[in-house]
C-alpha cells in the first residue's frame, strides 16, 4: 500500500480506490503531488513546473530563481522564509523568531497504525493498514517534526497527524500545529461544510471557493453546534451520486480550525487542526506534542460515496467496545415527558406503559441528584436526591429491570452549579480568571478538567453511584461552552494550554470510565449535537443528534449529520406535539419514520397517549425491531436533499443488497403540485425486487434508473411515505 522510490524520493500511498503522492525535492522540502483516483504507478508527470513568479522569493541558498515556497505545492508549509500563504505550523523560538525550516531527514514505513498518546484515533491492525512516517528537522533549533500518514487497505481513506519533538536545548512555544495540509493545483472547487446553531445543527452549506481565506472554526471549547470539524472540497459538477469529493474530519472534540485558501494563481490550500486562536503550548527540551488525528476521504462517486466511506470506516475503525457491533435498544427518555417534575410513582407509571409497548430501555434524565428541581442548582453534587427518588436509585433500577427493561441515567460531569456543595467547597475548580467575574450559562460553570484533582473527585462521585446501581446506559451531557478559559494550576505563560489540556483531561477521564464499565452503553450529548465529532465517538458509540426533536427540522439535521457520521451513531426520538422546540404539529407516523433514520426512541409522556396513539407506537417499535439490523448496519443513501426543495428522501440497503427500505418526506402540501418520481440506489441491477406493500415485482435496474411515481399529498403537510423491497428468489 505504501511504496518509496529512493532515486526520486517519491512516496506513493495506494489501494484499489485511491492514490496519494508526495515527494522530497532537491531542497529537502516535502512537496504534494497528487490525491485522487488510483494509479498503478507514477512516472513524474506532476513534478511542479519551475516558473519564476514576481514577488515570490527563493529560499536561502537557492541558486534557481524559479523555485519558491510561495508557489510550490507543499505537504506541511511554514511561514516566513518565502511562503506567504497560510502556514501549517507556527513555532516561536527562544529568540522570539517564528521561522522554522523543516527539511527531510528520514522516513519509515510500518505495518498497522500507531496510536497517538492521550488522544482518540482510528485504529487498524497490521493487515488492515500501513503507516508512513516522514521525519523532518530544523537543524538550527533541533526541532523534529514527524508527519504520519496511514492508508487503510479497504477504504479510500488516509489518516494524518503531526508530531513535534523538541530535540534542542531551549524551550519553544507552539502557536499553530495543524493536523494536515493539502495543496491542490489550480482548478474549480466548492467548499462543503456544516454550520448551525443549538437546535439547528449541521446544516449543509456549499459555496464557491474564491481568492482569499475561508476559515471554519470553533472557539467555544467544544467542536460546537455552530460548526462541525468536517470540511469537503467538491467539484461544481459533484452531486450525491457522481463527481469528486475531498473531505477531512478532525478526530477532536474541542477548539478546531479548518481553512481553505485560494492563492493568486488559483491553487487551493486545504487544512484542519487545533484552533490557534488563544492557543499556545510550551514545548520543553525533550518533550513531544501530538496533533489530533485528521481523517481524509476521497470519493469519485459523489457525496454518497464519500459518506459511505466515513460510515463504514468509523464503524470498523473508530467505534470500540461491546456495543460497537451490537443492536442498540429502543429507549424512552423521561425528559420531555416530565422535565424536572417527577417522582418514583410517575417514573414507574411511564415505565409500565413503555414496557407494554415494547420499549427496551428506560432513561432517567436530569433532576435525580443533589436537590435539583430546576437548572439552577446541584451540578457537581452526584448523590441521590432522596426527596425525589424515595425508593432510591438502586431500587428504582431494580424495578425497571423487573419490567424487562434496561435502566439508563443522565450525567453532566463537566459542569458545576453555583448553588452546589462542590462549588461552595471548591470555587476555584471552575474555569475563571482571578479578579474577574464568572460568566454564567444555564446557571452553571465549567469545571477545570485539565486538573487531575477535579477529575478525581467527579470520577469518585460517579463510581460510587455506578458501583451500586445497575446502570445499562449513560447519557453524558455538556450544556455550556467555555468562558474565562484560565486554570488556577497553570503558570501565566502556560494559560494558552488550558483548553487543550482540558480536552486531554476529558479524554483521560472517558478512557478510564468506559474501561471500568465496559457493559454500559454511553451516549454523548452537548445540548444535543454540540459535540458530535469523531473524538467523542471513540469513547461513546452514539450521540444525541439534537435537542430539537421536531420531525420537519430533523430532516435537515439528520441529513446533514449523515455527510460524515453513520445513522447508528445518531440518537433520534419521537416526541409529543405541539413540538416543544418549534410548536409544530406533525403526524405521529411521520415522527416515527424520521426517527427511524437513527437510533430509535421516544421522549414523551406515554401515559397521556390515546389508545390509538399507543397502537401506532406499538407498531412502530415492532417494525423497527424487525428491521433494526438494516437501519443500524445497512448502507445509507441520501436520495433527495431537504436543503434543495420541499421534500427529502433517504434509503437503507442491506449489505447483501437483498433488502431495502426507502423513506420519502413531503414537507408542505402544494396546490396543484407536481408528480414526483423517486429513484432508488444501491440495489443489484440484475436482481428482481418485490414491493412488500403491493406485491409487485421490479428489476433493480428499473428501480434505480426509471424509478416510481410517489403519491400526491393533497392537503397534508409533513407527510411521509415508506417503500420496502425484498429480492425475489427464483
Amino acid at each position: 500500500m505504501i511504496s518509496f522510490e529512493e532515486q526520486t524520493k517519491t512516496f506513493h500511498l495506494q489501494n484499489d480506490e485511491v492514490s496519494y503522492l508526495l515527494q522530497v525535492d532537491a531542497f529537502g522540502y516535502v512537496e504534494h503531488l497528487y490525491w485522487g483516483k488510483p494509479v498503478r504507478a507514477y512516472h513524474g508527470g506532476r513534478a511542479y513546473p519551475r516558473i519564476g513568479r514576481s514577488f515570490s522569493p527563493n529560499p536561502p541558498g537557492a541558486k534557481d530563481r524559479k523555485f519558491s515556497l510561495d508557489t510550490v505545492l507543499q505537504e506541511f508549509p511554514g511561514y516566513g522564509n518565502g511562503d506567504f500563504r497560510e502556514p501549517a505550523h507556527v513555532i516561536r523560538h527562544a529568540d522570539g523568531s517564528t521561522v522554522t525550516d523543516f527539511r527531510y531527514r528520514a522516513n519509515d514505513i510500518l505495518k498497522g497504525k500507531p496510536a497517538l498518546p492521550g488522544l482518540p484515533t482510528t485504529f487498524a491492525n497490521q493487515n488492515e493498514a500501513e503507516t508512513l512516517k516522514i521525519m523532518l528537522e530544523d537543524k538550527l533549533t533541533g526541532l523534529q517534526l514527524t508527519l504520519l500518514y496511514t492508508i487503510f487497505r479497504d477504504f479510500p481513506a488516509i489518516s494524518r497527524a503531526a508530531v513535534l519533538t523538541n530535540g534542542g536545548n531551549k524551550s519553544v512555544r507552539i502557536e499553530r500545529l495543524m493536523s494536515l495540509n493539502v495543496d491542490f493545483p489550480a482548478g474549480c472547487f466548492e467548499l462543503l461544510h456544516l454550520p448551525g446553531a443549538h437546535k439547528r445543527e449541521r446544516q449543509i452549506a456549499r459555496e464557491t471557493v474564491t481568492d482569499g481565506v475561508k476559515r471554519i472554526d470553533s472557539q467555544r471549547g467544544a467542536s460546537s453546534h455552530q460548526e462541525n470539524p468536517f470540511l469537503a472540497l467538491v467539484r461544481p459538477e459533484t452531486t450525491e451520486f457522481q463527481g469528486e469529493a475531498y473531505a477531512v474530519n478532525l478526530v477532536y472534540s474541542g477548539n478546531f480550525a479548518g481553512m481553505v485558501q485560494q492563492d493568486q494563481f488559483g491553487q487551493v490550500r486545504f487544512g484542519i487542526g487545533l484552533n490557534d486562536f488563544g492557543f499556545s503550548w510550551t514545548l520543553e527540551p525533550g518533550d513531544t506534542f501530538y496533533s489530533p488525528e485528521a481523517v481524509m476521504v476521497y470519493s469519485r462517486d459523489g457525496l454518497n460515496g464519500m459518506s459511505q466511506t466515513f460510515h463504514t470506516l468509523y464503524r470498523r475503525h473508530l467505534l470500540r467496545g461491546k456495543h460497537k457491533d451490537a443492536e442498540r435498544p429502543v429507549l424512552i427518555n423521561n425528559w420531555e415527558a416530565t422535565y424536572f417534575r417527577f417522582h418514583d410513582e410517575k417514573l414507574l407509571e411511564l415505565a409500565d406503559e413503555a414496557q407494554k409497548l415494547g420499549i427496551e430501555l428506560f432513561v432517567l434524565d436530569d433532576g435525580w441528584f443533589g436537590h435539583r428541581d430546576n437548572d439552577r442548582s446541584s451540578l457537581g453534587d452526584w448523590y441521590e436526591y432522596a426527596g425525589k427518588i424515595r425508593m432510591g436509585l438502586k431500587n428504582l433500577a431494580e424495578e425497571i429491570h423487573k419490567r424487562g427493561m434496561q435502566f439508563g441515567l443522565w450525567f453532566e460531569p463537566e459542569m458545576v452549579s453555583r448553588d452546589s456543595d462542590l462549588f461552595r467547597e471548591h470555587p476555584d475548580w471552575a474555569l475563571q480568571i482571578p479578579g474577574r467575574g464568572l460568566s454564567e450559562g444555564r446557571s452553571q460553570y465549567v469545571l477545570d478538567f485539565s486538573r487531575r484533582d477535579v477529575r478525581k473527585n467527579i470520577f469518585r462521585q460517579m463510581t460510587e453511584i455506578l458501583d451500586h446501581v445497575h446502570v445499562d446506559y449513560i447519557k453524558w451531557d455538556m450544556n455550556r461552552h467555555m468562558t474565562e478559559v484560565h486554570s488556577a494550576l497553570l503558570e501565566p505563560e502556560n494559560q494558552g494550554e488550558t483548553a487543550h489540556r482540558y480536552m486531554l483531561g476529558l479524554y483521560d477521564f472517558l478512557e478510564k470510565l468506559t474501561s471500568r464499565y465496559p457493559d454500559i452503553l454511553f451516549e454523548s450529548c452537548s445540548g444535543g449535537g454540540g459535540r458530535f465529532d469523531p473524538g467523542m465517538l471513540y469513547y461513546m458509540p452514539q450521540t444525541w443528534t439534537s435537542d430539537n426533536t421536531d420531525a420537519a427540522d430533523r430532516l435537515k439535521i439528520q441529513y446533514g449529520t449523515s455527510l460524515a457520521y453513520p445513522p447508528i451513531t445518531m440518537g433520534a426520538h419521537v416526541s409529543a406535539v405541539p413540538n416543544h422546540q418549534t410548536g409544530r404539529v406533525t403526524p405521529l407516523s411521520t415522527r416515527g419514520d424520521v426517527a427511524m433514520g437513527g437510533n430509535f426512541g421516544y421522549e414523551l409522556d406515554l401515559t397521556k397517549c390515546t389508545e390509538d396513539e399507543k397502537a401506532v407506537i406499538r407498531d412502530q417499535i415492532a417494525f423497527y425491531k424487525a428491521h433494526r439490523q438494516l437501519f443500524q448496519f445497512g448502507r445509507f443513501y441520501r436520495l433527495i436533499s431537504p436543503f434543495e426543495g420541499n421534500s427529502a428522501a433517504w434509503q437503507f440497503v442491506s449489505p447483501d443488497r437483498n433488502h431495502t427500505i426507502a423513506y420519502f418526506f413531503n414537507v408542505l402540501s402544494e396546490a396543484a403540485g407536481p408528480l414526483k418520481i423517486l429513484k432508488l440506489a444501491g440495489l443489484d441491477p440484475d436482481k428482481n425486487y418485490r414491493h412488500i406493500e403491493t406485491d409487485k415485482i421490479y428489476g433493480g435496474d428499473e428501480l434505480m434508473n426509471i424509478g416510481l411515481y410517489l403519491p400526491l399529498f393533497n392537503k397534508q403537510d409533513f407527510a411521509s411515505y415508506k417503500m420496502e423491497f425484498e429480492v425475489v428468489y427464483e
Side-chain angles (χ1 to χ4, degrees), residues 206 235-244 301-305:
R206 183 166 175 168
R235 302 296 183 183
E237 66 273 13
T238 297
T239 66
E240 284 285 10
F241 293 98
Q242 66 181 21
E244 292 188 304
D301 298 317
L303 300 180
N304 268 303

Side-chain angles (χ1 to χ4, degrees), residues 277-337:
F277 181 85
F279 167 81
S280 65
W281 191 278
T282 300
L283 196 65
E284 300 292 347
D287 286 353
T288 296
F289 183 87
Y290 298 86
S291 80
E293 177 180 86
V295 176
M296 309 166 59
V297 165
Y298 168 75
S299 172
R300 52 181 166 177
D301 298 317
L303 300 180
N304 268 303
M306 171 198 74
S307 298
Q308 285 158 10
T309 295
F310 276 120
H311 294 182
T312 311
L313 178 73
Y314 286 168
R315 278 176 38 211
R316 293 185 190 174
H317 297 285
L318 179 70
L319 306 187
R320 302 182 300 162
K322 66 174 289 184
H323 298 285
K324 168 184 175 178
D325 298 316
E327 291 185 354
R328 310 292 169 78
V330 178
L331 67 80
I332 177 73
N333 185 299
N334 77 298
W335 179 242
E336 288 192 21

Side-chain angles (χ1 to χ4, degrees), residues 24-81:
V24 180
D25 64 26
F27 297 93
Y29 297 110
V30 184
E31 296 189 23
H32 177 76
L33 298 176
Y34 173 77
W35 176 24
K37 294 179 181 179
V39 296
R40 290 179 289 109
Y42 172 68
H43 297 93
R46 284 290 281 269
Y48 195 84
R50 298 304 190 230
I51 300 174
R53 299 284 197 178
S54 301
F55 291 90
S56 293
N58 318 115
K63 298 179 181 179
D64 183 0
R65 294 180 61 180
K66 295 180 179 180
F67 177 81
S68 176
L69 294 174
D70 191 35
T71 60
V72 70
L73 307 180
Q74 298 178 64
E75 280 295 304
F76 211 75
Y79 179 86
N81 54 349

Side-chain angles (χ1 to χ4, degrees), residues 93-132:
H93 302 284
D95 62 2
S97 67
T98 56
V99 173
T100 310
D101 191 16
F102 285 117
R103 309 277 185 119
Y104 172 80
R105 182 172 61 84
N107 73 83
D108 197 8
I109 298 173
L110 311 172
K111 294 287 185 182
K113 183 177 187 299
L116 298 175
L119 287 166
T121 63
T122 55
F123 52 84
N125 64 36
Q126 293 191 347
N127 298 319
E128 296 171 324
E130 288 185 359
T131 299
L132 169 65

Side-chain angles (χ1 to χ4, degrees), residues 411-659:
F411 285 92
E412 193 172 1
E414 300 165 70
M415 300 293 151
V416 65
S417 303
R418 175 181 286 276
D419 179 10
S420 67
D421 295 338
L422 186 71
F423 186 78
R424 283 185 282 271
E425 186 176 351
H426 299 286
D428 61 308
W429 282 10
L431 291 175
Q432 58 190 283
I433 299 172
R436 299 191 183 276
L438 280 75
S439 302
E440 286 196 14
R442 199 173 176 253
S443 300
Q444 63 195 55
Y445 308 129
V446 183
L447 286 172
D448 184 358
F449 257 55
S450 73
R451 295 177 54 159
R452 190 181 301 274
D453 54 348
V454 173
R455 302 197 305 271
K456 183 177 179 180
N457 177 283
I458 300 300
F459 192 85
R460 176 187 57 77
Q461 291 194 64
M462 290 186 70
T463 56
E464 286 178 358
I465 293 288
L466 298 176
D467 284 347
H468 86 276
V469 179
H470 183 180
V471 174
D472 305 283
Y473 162 103
I474 285 177
K475 180 181 177 184
W476 177 295
D477 214 338
M478 185 259 202
N479 286 306
R480 187 198 190 283
H481 290 154
M482 295 183 189
T483 56
E484 291 83 44
V485 184
H486 186 280
S487 176
L489 295 191
L490 291 177
E491 297 298 325
E493 62 270 19
N494 299 117
Q495 290 299 327
E497 303 174 9
T498 303
H500 184 54
R501 287 191 180 276
Y502 180 105
M503 291 312 309
L504 295 176
L506 174 62
Y507 290 149
D508 175 70
F509 190 105
L510 295 179
E511 183 67 35
K512 291 176 180 175
L513 188 69
T514 56
S515 297
R516 179 165 174 152
Y517 303 103
D519 293 332
I520 292 179
L521 172 60
F522 287 85
E523 178 172 283
S524 69
C525 177
S526 176
R531 211 159 55 179
F532 204 133
D533 58 67
M536 292 306 290
L537 290 176
Y538 179 78
Y539 302 98
M540 304 184 182
Q542 59 190 60
T543 298
W544 178 225
T545 312
S546 176
D547 279 349
N548 187 346
T549 55
D550 174 67
D553 281 355
R554 271 298 186 112
L555 291 174
K556 289 184 176 180
I557 293 169
Q558 292 174 204
Y559 196 98
T561 302
S562 74
L563 280 184
Y565 307 106
I568 196 173
T569 65
M570 290 189 244
H573 298 173
V574 177
S575 62
V577 292
N579 180 265
H580 292 194
Q581 291 79 44
T582 66
R584 185 178 288 124
V585 176
T586 56
L588 180 55
S589 58
T590 299
R591 283 175 270 155
D593 287 347
V594 173
M596 289 188 196
N599 284 319
F600 191 58
Y602 291 83
E603 195 153 338
L604 73 173
D605 191 344
L606 296 171
T607 67
K608 296 180 179 178
C609 293
T610 67
E611 290 304 314
D612 287 344
E613 289 172 331
K614 290 177 184 177
V616 172
I617 291 171
R618 188 179 294 108
D619 289 344
Q620 288 176 341
I621 293 169
F623 183 83
Y624 186 80
K625 288 180 178 179
H627 301 89
R628 179 158 35 192
Q629 274 286 323
L630 176 63
F631 291 131
Q632 296 186 356
F633 301 102
R635 178 162 285 199
F636 180 78
Y637 289 88
R638 294 179 301 272
L639 302 179
I640 299 175
S641 172
F643 295 96
E644 298 175 3
N646 188 46
S647 57
W650 54 58
Q651 178 188 1
F652 296 88
V653 181
S654 63
D656 60 9
R657 299 195 291 176
N658 288 342
H659 184 206

Side-chain angles (χ1 to χ4, degrees), residues 324-374:
K324 168 184 175 178
D325 298 316
E327 291 185 354
R328 310 292 169 78
V330 178
L331 67 80
I332 177 73
N333 185 299
N334 77 298
W335 179 242
E336 288 192 21
T338 67
Y339 293 102
F340 293 106
R341 300 179 299 275
F342 61 81
H343 46 74
D344 304 28
E345 292 82 0
K346 178 61 179 179
L347 296 176
L348 292 178
E349 287 175 12
L350 191 58
D352 286 336
E353 291 295 334
Q355 186 272 332
K356 294 174 188 176
L357 297 173
I359 289 174
E360 300 160 311
L361 167 62
F362 182 92
V363 179
L364 175 55
D365 209 281
D366 194 356
W368 59 266
F369 53 92
H371 58 94
R372 190 165 170 89
D373 293 311
N374 52 52

